Amino acid sequence: MLSIRPETVADRTNIDALHLAGFPGPQEARLVNLLRANGRFITSLVAELDDTIVGHVAFSPVQVVSGERGAGLAPVCVAASHRRQGIAAALIQSGLRAVRGEGYQWCVVLGEPQYYRRFGFQPARQFGLFDDYGGGDAFQVLEFAEHAAPRGQGLVRYSTEFASLES
């Protein structure tokens, strides 16, 4: 039976291995470790199946020019052997509930628009928001309540640890 729970110290090696296997380079694993080390996680969840970590999702703060803070969903990873079974969706839904429970009013993601639309994400450009990475329509916003996301604030800044993805 699949369980979604907050990561523990004992999970860290398995989370690293998951990201190293799931992405073409070490950047996402490094990002997760930097966010964790610098206390930037809003929430970090694992999916566990038969005592094995098969998925991970992290959320960290983002901020617009006015200082208003939201949540950023990244990264999310599921073991290749367990993809297309709804595990990523379960992780994302649980993470979004946790972020909302922490008082955040909106969340951004840089990802496949068709996939994230199912969670209620919309193109950020409709809100007058954009990202540092040239994401275009892949940069999306989810409001937890009507008119909760900032409008016309321009650049949404991720935590400085995200610069490690560029190296």
Side-chain angles (χ1 to χ4, degrees), residues 71 95-97 99-100 103-107 142-146 148-149:
L96 290 170
R97 278 192 300 275
V99 165
R100 188 174 187 180
Y104 287 84
Q105 297 296 307
W106 53 280
C107 182
L142 170 66
E143 296 180 291
F144 296 129
E146 192 173 341

Side-chain angles (χ1 to χ4, degrees), residues 3-68:
S3 68
I4 307 290
R5 61 172 176 76
E7 76 163 58
T8 66
V9 172
D11 298 328
R12 291 178 181 176
T13 300
N14 293 326
I15 292 169
D16 277 353
L18 188 68
H19 286 285
L20 289 169
F23 290 98
Q27 293 88 344
E28 281 77 8
R30 184 171 56 233
L31 172 63
V32 168
N33 286 315
L34 287 170
L35 289 168
R36 182 186 299 120
N38 294 329
R40 298 266 201 253
F41 284 149
I42 297 169
T43 192
S44 177
L45 304 174
V46 296
E48 190 173 46
L49 188 62
D50 300 324
D51 297 322
T52 302
I53 302 296
V54 296
H56 175 254
V57 68
F59 291 79
S60 58
V62 297
Q63 187 170 328
V64 293
V65 69
S66 67
E68 188 174 345

Side-chain angles (χ1 to χ4, degrees), residues 67-148:
E68 188 174 345
R69 290 169 49 119
L73 187 173
V76 61
C77 186
V78 173
S81 60
H82 290 80
R83 291 185 185 147
R84 299 197 173 281
Q85 298 175 27
I87 295 171
L91 279 164
I92 291 165
Q93 289 168 337
S94 293
L96 290 170
R97 278 192 300 275
V99 165
R100 188 174 187 180
E102 290 291 326
Y104 287 84
Q105 297 296 307
W106 53 280
C107 182
V108 296
V109 68
L110 184 57
E112 173 56 46
Q114 272 189 284
Y115 181 78
Y116 286 99
R117 191 173 301 128
R118 73 180 71 182
F119 304 103
F121 283 91
Q122 302 171 50
R125 64 176 158 66
Q126 294 176 356
F127 296 83
L129 302 172
F130 61 90
D131 63 301
D132 268 334
Y133 308 103
D137 284 345
F139 186 59
Q140 302 156 78
V141 176
L142 170 66
E143 296 180 291
F144 296 129
E146 192 173 341
H147 302 294

